[in-house]
Structures are given as C-alpha cells and as structure tokens.
Amino acid sequence: MSSTSQKHKEFVAEPMGEKPVMALAGIGEVLGKRLEEKGFDKAYVVLGQFLVLKKDEELFRDWLKDTCGANAKQQGDCYSCLREWCDSFL
C-alpha cells in the first residue's frame, strides 16, 4: 500500500463542507485552476463526478486526465483521496 500525503490525511479526516477543489490530494494550483475554469470549483463538485462515474477508478482517472490534464500520479492521488473519504463518510 502506498503512503498517503499530509494533504490526503487532512482531507479524509473530516467532512468535506465547502473545501476548494485544491484541497483534494493530487490537485495543486495549476490543475485546480483548470478544474475551476470548467465549473469544478469545490471538492464536492469533483466528488459528484466521482459518484456519477460510480467510483470507477479507470473512468475517474480518464475523466481527470481529459478534464484538467492530470498525470498518472495526480489521478491516483485524487482517486484514492475521494475513495477513502467516501468509505468514511458515505
């Protein structure tokens, strides 16, 4: 199992609320701005897409790559972050 970042740990430790999209593990300033420009300004909006894709890792990774140009590590970090948050809070 891969280790998780501090950003990941902080995100999954509490309810999502109004956290910005850049609070998601794997999403920094550049990807965050790209997502915001496409209407994904909050973490919960990205969570909505994650759920629409039925938490499917391959579909979500492809969506993230196509939507904001995330690389494989960023895709995996974001997917793992949302998956773990869902396991805790849904």
Side-chain angles (χ1 to χ4, degrees):
M1 181 167 185
S2 63
S3 64
T4 55
S5 67
Q6 186 63 34
K7 190 174 182 181
H8 175 109
K9 290 174 188 167
E10 289 172 4
F11 189 86
V12 301
E14 61 188 13
M16 195 173 302
E18 294 288 322
K19 289 182 182 178
V21 70
M22 288 178 250
L24 289 162
I27 306 298
E29 193 169 332
V30 172
L31 297 184
K33 295 247 185 263
R34 290 178 190 162
L35 285 165
E36 286 174 354
E37 288 168 4
K38 295 189 176 170
F40 297 90
D41 58 334
K42 301 283 185 186
Y44 69 80
V45 184
V46 176
L47 171 66
Q49 184 65 30
F50 178 76
L51 296 174
V52 165
L53 297 171
K54 300 183 178 181
K55 303 184 205 174
D56 183 276
E57 183 172 7
E58 185 179 349
L59 291 174
F60 183 74
R61 283 172 165 265
D62 287 346
W63 173 82
L64 207 53
K65 181 176 76 172
D66 295 344
T67 303
C68 67
N71 67 31
K73 182 183 184 325
Q74 294 161 330
Q75 295 163 26
D77 288 351
C78 189
Y79 171 81
S80 296
C81 182
L82 286 172
R83 188 194 67 229
E84 187 175 329
W85 188 92
C86 286
D87 289 347
S88 297
F89 293 99
L90 293 183

